[in-house]
Amino acid sequence: MTSHKPVKKAVFPVAGLGTRFLPATKAIPKEMMAVVDRPLIQYAVDEAREAGIEQMIFVTGRGKTAIVEHFDMAYELEDTMKERGKDLSVLDSSRATPGDIITVRQQVPMGLGHAIWCARAIVGDEPFAIFLPDELMIPNKGGGTGCMKQMVEAYNEVGGNLISVLEVPQEEVSSYGVIAPGKQVSDTLTEVTGLVEKPPVAEAPSNKIVSGRYILQPEVMRVLETQGKGAGGEIQLTDAMAKMIGTQPFHAATFAGRRFDCGSKLGFVEATLALALEREDMGAEVRAMAERLLG
Ligand code: G1P
């Protein structure tokens, strides 16, 4: 196995306004919306930790402080819970190791590419991961590992740049970044020969879409520096990545697991139902409840 510089940092672009969930997201960040009892950002951070990532870089904006609070120690809460003899382990995953959470601000929403570029000084000269917390990636029911852990394992083999992809019905491709697949490297890994952001359905090079998890080399920051506006008038990460193809290895990995699009209401409800149904502490009751409701 070739040795590639390990992925220890992850960027979480969380400055978005969450307009699709208004009014729910008027006063709370959309990343704090809970699927059963964990906010979306917690799922993403847990997935990062499982993959061996140590430093979490949040690209935030105004009104997003609840995300950082979530990973702080809530002293009064813990003290009161202790006094009342309550189990504090429920808070374990929301406690960050001191120094592990870093925030930078994106002052104006100018697109995903611009958000990532805001983290350039902290990323420095290392490969880094990106998580879009809207995309909830969950291992298969029988177990298995998270999406980023699978990607890190593949990255250790091929190095370079790696994005997670999944197939969607052709008519949906225009909402996503789409890859032109090249040589199939293994069952789950293919080379990427092209990338296009939100193409018209007829012009899409495939139905394999970029699904919110990336491992990129730091050179992408240099490309983003001068990246002009693309689809939707935004500075697109996809456009900057496209320019890296041919200069460095570029692969796409298919996640062996499940993906819920929690950026849409339907996807969010589906995720809530799916995860509630498989919870040991409530699954049976949720099933009975759903059957009752379906009458
Ligand atoms: C972003 C990316 C797109 C990707 C999508 C995944 O788009 O630009 O390439 O396919 O996330 O959810 P957005 O959903 O921010 O428009």
Side-chain angles (χ1 to χ4, degrees), residues 38 79 93 247-248 251:
R38 268 199 293 168
D79 209 44
S93 57
T247 69
Q248 294 178 343
H251 291 89

PDB file of all heavy atoms in Angstrom, residues 38 79 93 247-248 251:
ATOM      1  N   ARG A  38     -30.692  13.340  17.618  1.00  0.00           N
ATOM      2  CA  ARG A  38     -29.355  13.869  17.344  1.00  0.00           C
ATOM      3  C   ARG A  38     -29.450  14.904  16.229  1.00  0.00           C
ATOM      4  O   ARG A  38     -30.046  14.622  15.185  1.00  0.00           O
ATOM      5  CB  ARG A  38     -28.423  12.733  16.869  1.00  0.00           C
ATOM      6  CG  ARG A  38     -27.656  12.088  18.014  1.00  0.00           C
ATOM      7  CD  ARG A  38     -26.443  11.344  17.495  1.00  0.00           C
ATOM      8  NE  ARG A  38     -26.785  10.186  16.684  1.00  0.00           N
ATOM      9  CZ  ARG A  38     -25.893   9.537  15.937  1.00  0.00           C
ATOM     10  NH1 ARG A  38     -24.639   9.943  15.873  1.00  0.00           N
ATOM     11  NH2 ARG A  38     -26.241   8.477  15.246  1.00  0.00           N
ATOM     12  N   ASP A  79     -24.144  19.908  35.700  1.00  0.00           N
ATOM     13  CA  ASP A  79     -24.153  20.002  37.154  1.00  0.00           C
ATOM     14  C   ASP A  79     -25.522  19.607  37.719  1.00  0.00           C
ATOM     15  O   ASP A  79     -25.632  18.812  38.646  1.00  0.00           O
ATOM     16  CB  ASP A  79     -23.814  21.448  37.540  1.00  0.00           C
ATOM     17  CG  ASP A  79     -23.125  21.500  38.878  1.00  0.00           C
ATOM     18  OD1 ASP A  79     -22.227  20.658  39.107  1.00  0.00           O
ATOM     19  OD2 ASP A  79     -23.516  22.357  39.702  1.00  0.00           O
ATOM     20  N   SER A  93     -21.158  12.218  23.005  1.00  0.00           N
ATOM     21  CA  SER A  93     -20.734  12.523  21.635  1.00  0.00           C
ATOM     22  C   SER A  93     -20.805  14.014  21.326  1.00  0.00           C
ATOM     23  O   SER A  93     -20.269  14.466  20.314  1.00  0.00           O
ATOM     24  CB  SER A  93     -21.566  11.724  20.632  1.00  0.00           C
ATOM     25  OG  SER A  93     -22.919  12.022  20.834  1.00  0.00           O
ATOM     26  N   THR A 247      -4.600  16.680 -13.228  1.00  0.00           N
ATOM     27  CA  THR A 247      -3.384  17.146 -12.551  1.00  0.00           C
ATOM     28  C   THR A 247      -3.057  16.259 -11.351  1.00  0.00           C
ATOM     29  O   THR A 247      -1.909  16.199 -10.912  1.00  0.00           O
ATOM     30  CB  THR A 247      -3.514  18.604 -12.056  1.00  0.00           C
ATOM     31  OG1 THR A 247      -4.466  18.638 -10.985  1.00  0.00           O
ATOM     32  CG2 THR A 247      -3.989  19.529 -13.160  1.00  0.00           C
ATOM     33  N   GLN A 248      -4.091  15.606 -10.822  1.00  0.00           N
ATOM     34  CA  GLN A 248      -3.934  14.705  -9.665  1.00  0.00           C
ATOM     35  C   GLN A 248      -4.917  13.547  -9.844  1.00  0.00           C
ATOM     36  O   GLN A 248      -5.919  13.710 -10.542  1.00  0.00           O
ATOM     37  CB  GLN A 248      -4.299  15.436  -8.369  1.00  0.00           C
ATOM     38  CG  GLN A 248      -3.370  16.566  -7.999  1.00  0.00           C
ATOM     39  CD  GLN A 248      -3.826  17.265  -6.718  1.00  0.00           C
ATOM     40  OE1 GLN A 248      -4.968  17.128  -6.294  1.00  0.00           O
ATOM     41  NE2 GLN A 248      -2.922  17.993  -6.103  1.00  0.00           N
ATOM     42  N   HIS A 251     -10.927  10.158  -8.059  1.00  0.00           N
ATOM     43  CA  HIS A 251     -11.792   8.976  -8.055  1.00  0.00           C
ATOM     44  C   HIS A 251     -13.141   9.272  -7.404  1.00  0.00           C
ATOM     45  O   HIS A 251     -13.275  10.208  -6.623  1.00  0.00           O
ATOM     46  CB  HIS A 251     -11.119   7.831  -7.279  1.00  0.00           C
ATOM     47  CG  HIS A 251      -9.920   7.272  -7.967  1.00  0.00           C
ATOM     48  ND1 HIS A 251      -8.658   7.773  -7.767  1.00  0.00           N
ATOM     49  CD2 HIS A 251      -9.792   6.241  -8.854  1.00  0.00           C
ATOM     50  CE1 HIS A 251      -7.786   7.093  -8.501  1.00  0.00           C
ATOM     51  NE2 HIS A 251      -8.445   6.152  -9.168  1.00  0.00           N
TER      52      HIS A 251
END
